Each structure stands twice: as C-alpha cells, then as structure tokens.
Amino acid sequence: MSNGSGEEFKSSPYRRYKNDLEASKSRREFDEEEEEGSGPFDIVRTKSAPVDRLRRWRQAALVLNASRRFRYTLDLKKEEERKQLIAKIRMHAQVIRAAVLFQAAGQGVNEQGVSKKLPSFQGHVGDFDVSLEELVSMSREHDLSLLEQQGGVKGVADKIKSNLEKGVPGDETDLIDRKLAFGSNTYPRKKGRSFWRFLWEACRDTTLIILMVAAAASLALGIKSEGIKQGWYDGGSIALAVLIVIVFTAVSDYRQSLQFQNLNEEKQNIHMEVIRGGRRVNVSIFDMVVGDVVPLKIGDQVPADGILITGHSLALDESSMTGESKIVHKDPKSPFLMSGCKVADGYGTMLVTSVGENTEWGLLMASISEDNGEETPLQVRLNGVATFIGVVGLAVAVVVLIVLVIRFFTGHTKNPDGRVQFQAGKTGVSDAIDGFIKIFTVAVTIVVVAVPEGLPLAVTLTLAYSMRKMMADKALVRRLSACETMGSATTICSDKTGTLTLNEMTVVDVFACGKKIEPPDNKSLLPPNVMSLLIEGIAQNTTGSVFVPEGSKTPEISGSPTEKAILQWGFNLGMDFDSVRSRSLIIHAFPFNSEKKRGGVALKLSDSEVHVHWKGAAEMVLASCTNYMDANGCVAQMEEDKVSYFKKAIEDMASGSLRCVAIAYRSYEMEKVPSNNVEMANWQLPEEDLILLAIVGIKDPCRSGVREAVQLCVDAGVKVRMVTGDNLQTAKAIALECGILRSNEDATEPNLIEGKAFRAMSESRKLEVADKILVMGRSSPNDKLLLVQALRKKGHVVAVTGDGTNDAPALHEADIGLAMGIQGTEVAKESSDIIILDDNFASVVKVVRWGRSVYANIQKFIQFQLTVNVAALIINVVAAISAGNVPLNAVQLLWVNLIMDTLGALALATEPPTDHLMHRPPVGRREPLITNVMWRNLMIQALYQVTVLLILNFRGISILHLEHERGDRAFKVKNTLIFNTFVLCQIFNELNARKPDEINVWKGVTKNRLFMGIVGLTVVLQVVIIFFLGKFTSTVRLSWKLWLVSFVIGIISWPLAIVGKLIPVPKRPFSEFFTKKISKERESRG
C-alpha cells in the first residue's frame, strides 16, 4: 500500500459513514428541508436525526403513560449513559496497555525484544500447554514479549493443539474440550423485561390511576351507604374494568417484546468461514473456539481476539474498540487483532486466542444494553395525531365535567324515576360526593377513550408482525424505520451480480494465445509454459481456496463466486492448488479494489525470479498489456489488430451477458523489489507492460422471477435502476433480460451510462440526468453514492442494495440501505437498514410490499379508531349537555377502549399485504396520514352512528314501546341497547376499515385468522357482558328482538360504506384547504 493509504482511509467514505457503537448522528447529515419551519412531529426521516429534534417531539406530545408510549423509541438518557460507559471501558483498556508498555520500558528490554522478567502463570487445562490466563493477558495487553516467550504464533498454535494451515480438528469432542478450557464465544445477554414489568408499566397510565382512585372512593362510599353486599358494585366494576384493560395491554406488549427479542438475537448471529481439518466451513461466530484459524478479507468483523498468522496489506478499523478514527496496519510487529474490529483493507488469516468475555469486545457487549429502541417517522407523526386528538378529548372531558357538575349541584340532574339527585340542604354529604365521583369518573373515562394512547404503539405492533413475517420472506430488518420507509420508496438502485443474477458463475468462454479456446478447459490448445503461468496466477492471485477430500476427485472450492468459477476452471485444467502455492511465495499483494477493478500479487519463485500477476476487469487489464502469449507460447507484441481482436472478443462476450475477466502477468527484477518491510508495505505493484495470458467469459444466469419482480415494481410506480461494476455491454444484456431496459432503443445515453461519465458531470447536469439513468456500468462505489445523493435531491425516496465494504456510504446515505446476506460484508450489513438473506431481488420487492402494508394497516387502524372516538365523544357530550346524564358509562367506555385500542390494533395492524398495494403509487412521506378517502369513510360512519344512537337516546323509550315498563327498567333497557348497538357498529365497521378504498371488504378475510379470532372474541365477550355481567356494566339482558335491532343497525354500516365509496373526493388533501385559508387570513392581517 502507498504511503497515502492512511490519508485515503481518513477521508474515505468508509470512515465518514462508519456505523460504530459511538457514531454520533450529525446535524449536517440530516435533511435540510426538515430543519426550518417544521412542526415538532414533522420528522420524515429519523435515520441520523439530531438529538434535539427527537427531544422536541417528546416534549410536545400529550402522554398519559410515558413508559409505555416511549418504550420503542430511543431512550435519550440511556443512550448518553451507554456512550459514557463505552468510553470508560475503552479508557480502561488503553490504561492497561500503557501500563504494560511502561513496565516493559522500566524493566529494560533485551535485543530480541523479550523483557528480562516475564510473568509466570499456572493452571494449564487438560491437554493444552498454555493457560487461559496467559492467553487472555497476552491478547488484552498486546504483550509481544509474552508472545515471543511462547514461541511466536507457531508456538502458541502448538500449545493450543492447532495447526496454522489446517486449523483445529473440528470434531465435536475437540470443540467441547476447547470450550471447557477456554470458554465459548458468547457473552451474558441482559434478560428481556419480564411480564410483570409490562404489567407494572401498564399500571402507570395517568388516567387509569385516577380511575382506580375514583373507584376506591366510590367503593368506600358505596359500602358505607348500601353495605358490602350491594355497595361494592359501582366502584368494584370500574376497578375490575381497569384491571382487565391493564392485563390485556400488558399481554399484548409482552408478546411484541418477545418478537423483537428474537429478531435482535438473529441480528447478532454473524456467520464466518473458519478452517477446520484443512477445509473451510461456515460457522456462527458464537461457535468459534480458541485455536480456530480464521481467514479475513475486507469488510469482515474480527470474531474474537487473536494473533495474525499471515497478512497482505491487512488494515483494521479499531474505532469500535479504541474510539480513535484511524486505520491500524497489522504485521508481525503489530500482530494482535481485537474482537469487534472491522477489516478495512487487505486480507489474511488469524489464530483465535481469546473468546467471549475474555475479550474486550465481550466485556463491552455484556456491559451495554443490546437494543436501545428507535422511533420511526410514522410513530412520531402518530404521536402528533394522538396529541391533537387528546387535546380535543381533554377539552370535551372538561366541558362534560363542568356541565354535569353544574347540572348536578343546581338540581337539574334526575334519576330515571324522575327524582332529583341533589337537593341543597337535603342530600347527604356522602351521596353528594358519590354523585360527584360518578360524574368525575365519566369525564376521566372520556379522556381514556379520547386520548388514543394505543395509536403510536399500533406502529410497533404492525412492525413487529411485519418483521417476523419478513424473516420468512428472507428479509432481516435491522432498523424499524426502514420497514415503513420502504413503502414510500420511489426508486431501487440494485446491484447486478447475485441480486438480479443467480451468483452461480461458470467459465464458458476463454480467449488465450490469440484465439478462442473451445471448450474452455481444452488443455491441448494451451502451450505448457502458458498453462504453467496461468495456473500459477489462478492459484496465487486469489482469496479463495481449493480442498480435495481424501478419496474424492471433486474439489470443495470456497471464495467469492467469481473466484470460485476461475478456480474451478483452473482445477479443470489440472491445477494442484496446494502444490502450485508451495512452489512460490507471495511477497506483496494488492487486494482487489473496486475503484481500480483489479487485484494483483508479487511472487518470489524458488529460483529467486519474481512474477507479478494481475486479474480484473478485462478492458482495464487489457489496456495495461503491451504483449500477449501467442499459440507457440512465445511473447508477442500487442499490435493494433490484436488489441481490436481482444476488444471485439470482450464486447461479444459482454453482449452475451458474460462477465469478462482478464489474467495477465509480467516478470520483475529482484533487485527492484524493496528489501525492507517499510518500503515493502508502501510498494506499488507494477501494473504496466503486462503480458496477457487469457480473457475469460463467466456466465452468471439471470434469476428466475426477476423479470416479473421488476414489472411488479414498475406497476407500483417504483423505478428499478441497475448499478454495477461490470462492463456496460454485460450490464445492458442483463438489463434487457430483466426488463429494466424495455428494448435496444432504450439502451442509449443517459438511460445507459458509464460511472466515469456520470462522475465527470457538473452538479446541475447530474441532477438533470439522474432521473433518466436506468443502467450504470463500470461504476465505482462512489458513483453509486453520487447517484443516490442526486436522486434524493430530486425528491426520490431511494432504496439501495450493496454487498461490499465500499458500498457502506451509499447504503448509509440512502433512505433504505439493503445489504446482501450471503455475499455482503459485515461492514455493508452494519451500514444497512435491512439485510436480504437470500440476495434475491424478488425479496427486495417483497420488502416494498410489506412496507406499504405497514402504512396501509396503520391507516386502517386510524380510520377505525377515529370513528369510535368521534362517535363516543359526540354522543356523550350532546347527552350530557341536553339531558344531564350519559348513555355510555365509565365501565362501558373502558370496554369500548379495549376493543378500539388493543383488540382493534391487533386485528387491523396484522393484516397481510395484498396485491392491491402494488397497483398504486408510493405513499409520499409528507402526504397526510388521514387521506380524503379516510375522512369520507370516517365522517359517513360517525355521522350514521351518532344520528341513530342520539335518536335512541332521546326517543328510544317511545320508539321501543317501553313506556309500560317501570321508569328505571325502561331507562336501563334503552341505555343497554345504545351500548350494545354502539359496540356492534364498531365490530361491523372493523370490517369496513379493512379495505378503505375497495368495495369488497370481505375479500381475503378468512385468510387472516387473527382478525377472525378477534372479531369472534369481541362478539362473544359482548354477549357475556350483556347476559351475565349486568351488575358490573349497569346493563340489563336484552330480548332477541332488541338484539336483532342492534344487529340490523350495525350491519347497515356495510351497505352505507359501499354507497359512501361511490362518492368522489378531491385529490388535494382537505388539510391543505384549511392551512391555505389560515395562511391567507394571516397574510391579510399582516
């Protein structure tokens, strides 16, 4: 690596966007349009939102139960404590290392670098010749002298019964022994909250506490005046209703938390390759043991503490452990690798020496809370809606309280039998207090119903449900907000390899020795010296490996799909991987670079000859070749006609959707090779005057179903763009096959563009062109970032797929970053919001469906809840003001609140996505939550319910012919009918809410068993309440005729909803009419 590499890393996007434990959310990254003149709840992007904006909306929200409302939001106080704790642990680690260095300097160090006095350790375990304490001390303190005392990395490997090339044996007994001796690579997780904690949090609702106090007072007065047998009903029924609400709420919240807990565990479970018994196997980092040999490449996370075995330009980002934003190069002088750090450059292998709690990372992870919550834009907006409704409800409750209290104490409130409830000087104090408590209880209950505490939590419920289902659809959500933002996505910038294609690569075309080799593994057409050089380049210039099991001729090949295809071709040509690698030594390596699109190695052969091998993008490597090997195996000048021949071959292969890779080499003078380590580290491998050995065409077939998935996106108003590092012709061929490009006529600039052409444009031109780009070929990760930035400036909501470390900036910048689960590096995954577990584009489209489903489900719930709110409030207010009593009492309203908040959310927030969602445009992030369609549906249903129930309230006794009943009985029958009808109206309206803009509300209802179960449960409980719990709810049993009346009134809401949906609504949101009118009035005053 050049000297400038350190500078390059400091300013690289990888560093700037690094998503480590202490990464602060900068205000600069936050969308500028949100900074000025926006309300506290107007945060369309919580990703990277500044803390003061997050604090602002919390302070503005009207909240009855803060611990419950803010449970799934970022705990700002805990986040601050967490950062301080991390800083403290890091500081502690630095102090230990400084002390060791100081001690070593004080004691004096001999010529070999071994301190004169070394600590002695006891307690070797089992068959191992080294103690756990020695290994931990050496790793944690980065003690080179102790490492050398143990005999270096080879000595340590021998003592822990491992082999630097073959790793540990890997059998079950050996792994168990290692875990017993040195611990497992896990750390104690903080236990999730218990059910009792959720129960306690549900109890902390302000209104429920007030109701419990009122119930206690009512209970005491009732028992005092009527005796315990009859007097406990009024207070006891309220207390019981409150307890039921608390238990239902706690159960619902606890179930949600378990889902999040499972998903968090899944997020932590990283899989990596280790070498066991000579072969590479994929294991969870939790299953790694001391002695494991782990290959590392760019973007990997170091899975445990260890020592470097071999490394080529290996550099780690240790900021997650040290807090310092610098890249540390690893070599024999600095061989210690810390768990939790990321590989920023190069590749190598490490020997695991400490795992789990014996590493600093393990201590760090055991000390901090795993998940500190995170709010989503929809959650913030719903808090705004809940606050507005709550303020209105609070005002209504105050009005009802004042009106009822005045009427009561002025003698205008009468019992059903006509007797005045309060007469000054005659009514006893306890009766007066009892009357006031009943009025106060009704007012408080109105607040319970009016403040939709469950509304913001419905987002969490639907997200928890969606995330669990998305796991089955091969998508792991890392950030909650991404799940809902995906529903607003207007464009998807997708990789080609592995996402649109299968990532199952095979070499199908080969050009070598100036001609096409058919078939590709036809050895007879390749001269021996060309074959030897080719096999040398394939075996050494790779990050993959070949393992041939004993008694088998089929090799086990590991590495990236491209590496595997080329290694398989080499094996078909007769390559003996281990033998070839033993004949030469890698003295320097230039790992594959997505900017230069090539990788190279310098080899020292046994006769001290040096060969430099390069492999990479065909046209780029070809441009560096001045010679080629001819049919006789001789070096021939690369004349113009040969250049044209090879370029034509590359174009033909690319237009056949093949990935083109060139393999070239050159000899180099040993004298020019740097002689010391410092110069060697900064040596730039010569990449000019190369000799072309071969150009291979690698077939990577299109995934089945991708064309349909792309068409689905087009129908949904989501534009799919392909951004790939491959040749433009290859990209064009795949884009035509996938349907991203409709025809060859579309395949012109700027629809089809090269990364460097886009990069060279001015800012204004980039903005102009970005919208038109469908395919970008030969793009670097920075080109992808520039495209994302341009599209976002144009107002797009951008989803981006990525798998490499250098994709991290684009994944971070995008509204939704989608990392690939199979090919994606750990750095890419950490910078992403969602991980696509099968790397399939069809899974990306499923995420869009789920994102839209989240938004649609919340809107269904809002429509349902607001209908209940409006109807209940109007009925009680009108009745209170005009008649002095309310038809829906406290216990009944609490039951309605349970149907509306907990059960309603559970039923409507868990509706699965439908095809209908993918036949309408994306939801704008600034579009009003309550659309014109919702307002229409809501007003029609609320108006109908209010009209019918108020008629029943004022004329019910005469309409139902109850005049002959005694006054008290007639009054109770009428109020029971109102309550029963109101609840049945909500049940029927719940079905209407399923499809706000569709006529057929029953479509697919039987597939949603949870919805059916909740509706069924609500009906059963309502029947139980009316028939058996009359004492508690102040109701009486209804005749079958009155049940029929309730049922008919409820079922009319269905045809009414159908008629309502035929009424057209303006496209312009109603809210805009009001805001425009208000702003005009302000202007006229100004």
Side-chain angles (χ1 to χ4, degrees):
M1 295 293 292
S2 69
N3 235 358
S5 67
E7 292 303 314
E8 177 197 322
F9 277 118
K10 279 178 194 171
S11 62
S12 76
Y14 171 76
R15 283 287 343 119
R16 287 205 314 275
Y17 291 88
K18 178 72 186 65
N19 191 15
D20 75 48
L21 283 162
E22 219 174 9
S24 62
K25 312 273 203 280
S26 110
R27 181 176 284 278
R28 181 176 48 79
E29 289 176 37
F30 196 62
D31 292 343
E32 288 172 18
E33 73 267 16
E34 295 191 27
E35 288 298 300
E36 300 298 327
S38 56
F41 301 106
D42 192 18
I43 304 178
V44 297
R45 194 174 190 236
T46 53
K47 187 175 177 177
S48 307
V51 171
D52 61 329
R53 284 301 305 274
L54 300 179
R55 192 173 281 117
R56 193 174 147 207
W57 80 257
R58 285 163 172 74
Q59 291 164 350
L62 173 69
V63 180
L64 300 177
N65 186 348
S67 60
R68 184 167 181 249
R69 177 79 73 87
F70 297 133
R71 181 182 298 131
Y72 296 110
T73 59
L74 183 68
D75 189 323
L76 301 178
K77 189 181 174 186
K78 269 190 186 174
E79 185 67 9
E80 195 54 46
E81 289 170 0
R82 182 169 170 260
K83 286 179 182 177
Q84 288 170 3
L85 180 64
I86 290 166
K88 208 179 285 180
I89 292 171
R90 285 172 176 168
M91 181 68 74
H92 178 67
Q94 299 283 51
V95 168
I96 289 173
R97 280 190 208 112
V100 169
L101 292 171
F102 181 76
Q103 191 181 15
Q107 289 172 337
V109 179
N110 67 16
E111 286 152 21
Q112 281 75 39
V114 182
S115 61
K116 288 173 185 174
K117 190 177 179 185
L118 288 163
S120 64
F121 295 94
Q122 301 300 318
H124 296 176
V125 184
D127 297 330
F128 304 106
D129 302 327
V130 65
S131 71
L132 172 64
E133 291 79 11
E134 281 175 288
L135 291 175
V136 171
S137 173
M138 181 177 65
S139 298
R140 222 177 252 180
E141 296 168 14
H142 290 192
D143 197 335
L144 258 178
S145 55
L146 187 55
L147 174 62
E148 289 180 23
Q149 186 197 34
Q150 299 286 1
V153 66
K154 175 78 171 69
V156 173
D158 290 342
K159 288 183 178 182
I160 56 178
K161 309 293 184 218
S162 182
N163 183 296
L164 295 182
E165 289 178 2
K166 295 186 176 181
V168 299
D171 58 86
E172 197 64 38
T173 309
D174 178 62
L175 295 177
I176 290 168
D177 287 347
R178 289 176 187 278
K179 285 179 182 176
L180 288 171
F182 304 112
S184 61
N185 202 23
T186 55
Y187 47 87
R189 305 278 179 92
K190 289 202 173 179
K191 280 187 178 178
R193 282 184 278 202
S194 67
F195 172 73
W196 304 110
R197 175 83 183 271
F198 284 98
L199 202 63
W200 168 242
E201 286 184 358
C203 292
R204 292 169 68 184
D205 188 300
T206 313
T207 47
L208 294 182
I209 291 168
I210 293 168
L211 281 175
M212 286 300 268
V213 171
S218 178
L219 195 65
L221 288 166
I223 292 169
K224 186 186 173 189
S225 59
E226 296 178 48
I228 196 161
K229 201 171 183 182
Q230 293 297 320
W232 73 275
Y233 281 117
D234 281 355
S237 56
I238 294 170
L240 189 65
V242 168
L243 282 173
I244 290 168
V245 168
I246 286 169
V247 170
F248 260 93
T249 303
V251 169
S252 173
D253 290 353
Y254 180 60
R255 281 173 58 83
Q256 271 181 59
S257 80
L258 290 178
Q259 289 184 17
F260 282 121
Q261 217 169 297
N262 294 337
L263 288 162
N264 278 332
E265 282 172 17
E266 197 66 40
K267 280 192 270 186
Q268 301 292 328
N269 193 7
I270 299 164
H271 281 77
M272 284 185 74
E273 277 189 339
V274 298
I275 299 170
R276 287 181 180 171
R279 69 175 69 183
R280 291 194 185 195
V281 291
N282 221 0
V283 301
S284 162
I285 59 165
F286 300 135
D287 294 330
M288 287 194 180
V289 293
V290 168
D292 265 330
V293 173
V294 184
L296 296 171
K297 59 184 184 302
I298 294 178
D300 282 347
Q301 177 175 309
V302 178
D305 282 3
I307 314 166
L308 181 70
I309 299 171
T310 59
H312 300 289
S313 308
L314 188 68
L316 297 191
D317 171 29
E318 294 186 345
S319 61
S320 59
M321 288 311 304
T322 63
E324 294 173 20
S325 299
K326 67 176 185 181
I327 302 300
V328 181
H329 290 268
K330 293 294 170 184
D331 54 39
K333 288 185 179 176
S334 175
F336 296 102
L337 285 77
M338 285 191 288
S339 176
C341 300
K342 304 289 186 300
V343 180
D345 196 24
Y347 58 91
T349 53
M350 68 172 275
L351 176 71
V352 174
T353 56
S354 297
V355 292
E357 279 190 284
N358 297 318
T359 69
E360 280 171 32
W361 179 256
L363 283 175
L364 194 65
M365 296 308 284
S367 305
I368 60 175
S369 173
E370 287 294 334
D371 189 44
N372 197 17
E374 165 223 350
E375 51 255 65
T376 74
L378 204 49
Q379 216 172 357
V380 177
R381 289 177 74 187
L382 282 172
N383 269 287
V385 172
T387 299
F388 173 73
I389 298 167
V391 169
V392 172
L394 209 55
V396 168
V398 170
V399 168
V400 169
L401 180 66
I402 292 168
V403 169
L404 289 180
V405 167
I406 291 170
R407 287 183 66 103
F408 179 77
F409 286 109
T410 55
H412 287 85
T413 306
K414 296 178 182 179
N415 285 327
D417 56 7
R419 191 161 44 87
V420 176
Q421 287 186 0
F422 180 84
Q423 291 177 323
K426 292 181 181 179
T427 307
V429 175
S430 62
D431 288 340
I433 293 171
D434 193 38
F436 173 76
I437 287 171
K438 282 178 180 172
I439 292 167
F440 181 73
T441 305
V442 169
V444 173
T445 312
I446 286 173
V447 176
V448 174
V449 176
V451 179
E453 197 72 359
L455 198 52
L457 292 167
V459 183
T460 321
L461 181 66
T462 189
L463 285 172
Y465 168 77
S466 301
M467 284 165 69
R468 187 163 51 87
K469 292 289 185 182
M470 282 163 77
M471 276 292 285
D473 280 343
K474 304 296 179 189
L476 171 63
V477 179
R478 294 187 75 251
R479 284 178 65 90
L480 276 179
S481 56
C483 194
E484 67 185 45
T485 307
M486 202 64 184
S488 301
T490 56
T491 185
I492 300 171
C493 298
S494 174
D495 283 342
K496 175 188 77 70
T497 308
T499 309
L500 297 168
T501 61
L502 275 171
N503 222 2
E504 291 173 4
M505 301 196 185
T506 319
V507 173
V508 292
D509 277 357
V510 175
F511 285 82
C513 304
K515 62 189 177 196
K516 188 171 184 178
I517 307 296
E518 288 189 287
D521 49 6
N522 188 345
K523 301 176 207 174
S524 61
L525 296 177
L526 294 170
N529 63 328
V530 175
M531 177 92 86
S532 173
L533 286 166
L534 254 178
I535 283 173
E536 181 182 273
I538 290 168
Q540 290 285 31
N541 189 15
T542 182
T543 53
S545 71
V546 179
F547 174 78
V548 183
E550 282 184 33
S552 171
K553 291 183 180 178
T554 308
E556 292 177 11
I557 301 174
S558 61
S560 71
T562 308
E563 296 279 15
K564 282 159 82 172
I566 293 171
L567 285 169
Q568 181 64 58
W569 176 58
F571 185 80
N572 294 346
L573 289 174
M575 172 183 73
D576 183 336
F577 186 75
D578 293 329
S579 171
V580 174
R581 284 175 76 92
S582 66
R583 287 201 290 267
S584 57
L585 176 72
I586 299 174
I587 53 174
H588 193 58
F590 180 87
F592 181 83
N593 183 306
S594 53
E595 295 288 340
K596 287 199 166 187
K597 304 212 177 291
R598 67 182 77 181
V601 290
L603 306 176
K604 184 181 176 185
L605 278 65
S606 51
D607 57 1
S608 294
E609 194 182 346
V610 174
H611 284 173
V612 176
H613 284 273
W614 285 97
K615 177 177 74 187
E619 68 271 28
M620 293 185 173
V621 173
L622 179 63
S624 299
C625 293
T626 51
N627 298 286
Y628 72 100
M629 299 296 261
D630 65 15
N632 301 315
C634 301
V635 177
Q637 185 77 25
M638 185 77 79
E639 303 290 352
E640 274 302 313
D641 62 327
K642 270 298 166 194
V643 172
S644 301
Y645 171 77
F646 285 123
K647 278 186 177 176
K648 178 76 168 62
I650 292 168
E651 278 176 27
D652 289 347
M653 286 192 284
S655 59
S657 73
L658 301 187
R659 169 174 276 192
C660 304
V661 176
I663 299 168
Y665 101 107
R666 62 163 291 171
S667 294
Y668 200 68
E669 299 79 12
M670 187 66 197
E671 305 79 58
K672 290 185 182 178
V673 176
S675 53
N676 63 59
N677 288 340
V678 177
E679 286 179 8
M680 180 63 85
N682 297 322
W683 181 39
Q684 290 278 22
L685 280 183
E687 50 185 304
E688 66 288 332
D689 299 329
L690 302 182
I691 300 166
L692 183 69
L693 294 175
I695 297 172
V696 299
I698 302 172
K699 180 73 178 169
D700 184 13
C702 228
R703 283 184 183 272
S704 61
V706 161
R707 194 177 181 88
E708 292 77 9
V710 169
Q711 186 55 49
L712 204 59
C713 285
V714 173
D715 295 342
V718 181
K719 202 170 198 175
V720 181
R721 307 166 203 270
M722 181 200 290
V723 184
T724 177
D726 266 358
N727 181 301
L728 201 57
Q729 294 304 315
T730 308
K732 174 187 164 184
I734 293 287
L736 284 165
E737 202 177 331
C738 293
I740 293 170
L741 289 172
R742 296 287 174 187
S743 61
N744 275 309
E745 288 71 49
D746 286 346
T748 54
E749 205 170 301
N751 291 358
L752 188 73
I753 195 170
E754 270 205 349
K756 64 181 179 185
F758 182 69
R759 201 182 316 148
M761 292 176 181
S762 64
E763 282 300 311
S764 56
R765 179 70 181 143
K766 275 183 195 144
L767 288 175
E768 196 182 312
V769 165
D771 244 346
K772 298 172 186 172
I773 293 172
L774 290 172
V775 177
M776 187 187 282
R778 283 288 175 244
S779 70
S780 68
N782 196 49
D783 298 331
K784 189 187 273 191
L785 176 63
L786 292 171
L787 178 62
V788 170
Q789 288 170 336
L791 288 168
R792 288 196 65 226
K793 280 178 188 171
K794 290 281 283 182
H796 283 284
V797 178
V798 186
V800 167
T801 71
D803 52 15
T805 301
N806 291 328
D807 285 328
L811 289 167
H812 188 280
E813 179 70 21
D815 295 285
I816 313 104
L818 303 153
M820 298 297 111
I822 300 169
Q823 288 304 314
T825 63
E826 269 320 300
V827 170
K829 288 175 188 175
E830 273 207 7
S831 298
S832 72
D833 304 302
I834 296 172
I835 298 170
I836 304 299
L837 299 172
D838 62 352
D839 292 14
N840 191 345
F841 183 76
S843 299
V844 176
V845 181
K846 285 176 185 172
V847 174
V848 176
R849 271 168 65 100
W850 278 109
R852 292 189 174 194
S853 176
V854 166
Y855 201 89
N857 287 351
I858 294 303
Q859 286 187 315
K860 292 169 189 177
F861 181 56
I862 291 172
Q863 181 184 305
F864 172 67
Q865 189 164 46
L866 288 188
T867 308
V868 184
N869 277 17
V870 171
L873 288 179
I874 293 175
I875 290 163
N876 269 10
V877 170
V878 172
I881 291 170
S882 58
N885 55 46
V886 287
L888 298 171
N889 64 32
V891 177
Q892 291 167 1
L893 283 175
L894 284 172
W895 168 231
V896 169
N897 186 62
L898 197 63
I899 295 172
M900 181 179 73
D901 251 15
T902 311
L903 295 175
L906 207 56
L908 291 169
T910 55
E911 278 279 306
T914 59
D915 292 337
H916 176 70
L917 293 170
M918 297 300 281
H919 290 97
R920 59 189 191 194
V923 180
R925 292 198 295 187
R926 290 194 176 275
E927 277 184 29
L929 264 176
I930 307 171
T931 63
N932 291 358
V933 167
M934 289 166 68
W935 277 121
R936 177 197 64 197
N937 298 346
L938 188 158
M939 296 314 292
I940 287 170
Q941 292 295 332
L943 193 65
Y944 166 68
Q945 290 179 22
V946 168
T947 305
V948 171
L949 296 177
L950 283 179
I951 289 170
L952 282 175
N953 188 55
F954 294 114
R955 293 281 178 267
I957 291 175
S958 58
I959 292 169
L960 300 169
H961 307 297
L962 298 171
E963 297 93 339
H964 62 280
E965 297 273 358
R966 57 186 173 85
D968 186 33
R969 167 78 185 168
F971 181 78
K972 280 192 173 179
V973 169
K974 178 202 73 172
N975 277 4
T976 303
L977 180 67
I978 290 171
F979 168 57
N980 198 43
T981 304
F982 185 65
V983 169
L984 287 177
C985 277
Q986 307 326 316
I987 292 168
F988 287 113
N989 194 37
E990 206 162 354
L991 274 151
N992 286 332
R994 283 187 72 245
K995 309 277 182 184
D997 53 354
E998 291 181 58
I999 298 292
N1000 185 2
V1001 296
W1002 302 279
K1003 187 180 177 184
V1005 71
T1006 52
K1007 290 179 184 174
N1008 189 348
R1009 290 179 183 174
L1010 186 61
F1011 183 90
M1012 296 288 285
I1014 286 170
V1015 169
L1017 178 68
T1018 311
V1019 172
V1020 169
L1021 289 175
Q1022 180 63 15
V1023 171
V1024 170
I1025 286 168
I1026 299 297
F1027 274 95
F1028 305 108
L1029 301 176
K1031 281 274 190 185
F1032 292 101
T1033 53
S1034 304
T1035 55
V1036 292
R1037 290 189 180 187
L1038 296 175
S1039 66
W1040 68 268
K1041 288 179 183 176
L1042 292 182
W1043 269 100
L1044 193 61
V1045 168
S1046 301
F1047 189 80
V1048 169
I1049 292 170
I1051 209 166
I1052 286 171
S1053 66
W1054 284 350
L1056 193 67
I1058 293 169
V1059 172
K1061 284 168 188 173
L1062 301 175
I1063 302 169
V1065 290
K1067 286 187 178 177
R1068 189 174 161 199
F1070 290 140
S1071 54
E1072 279 187 26
F1073 290 109
F1074 296 117
T1075 49
K1076 204 167 185 182
K1077 198 175 180 184
I1078 292 164
S1079 59
K1080 274 184 181 176
E1081 281 177 17
R1082 280 179 184 167
E1083 282 169 22
S1084 61
R1085 282 175 197 164

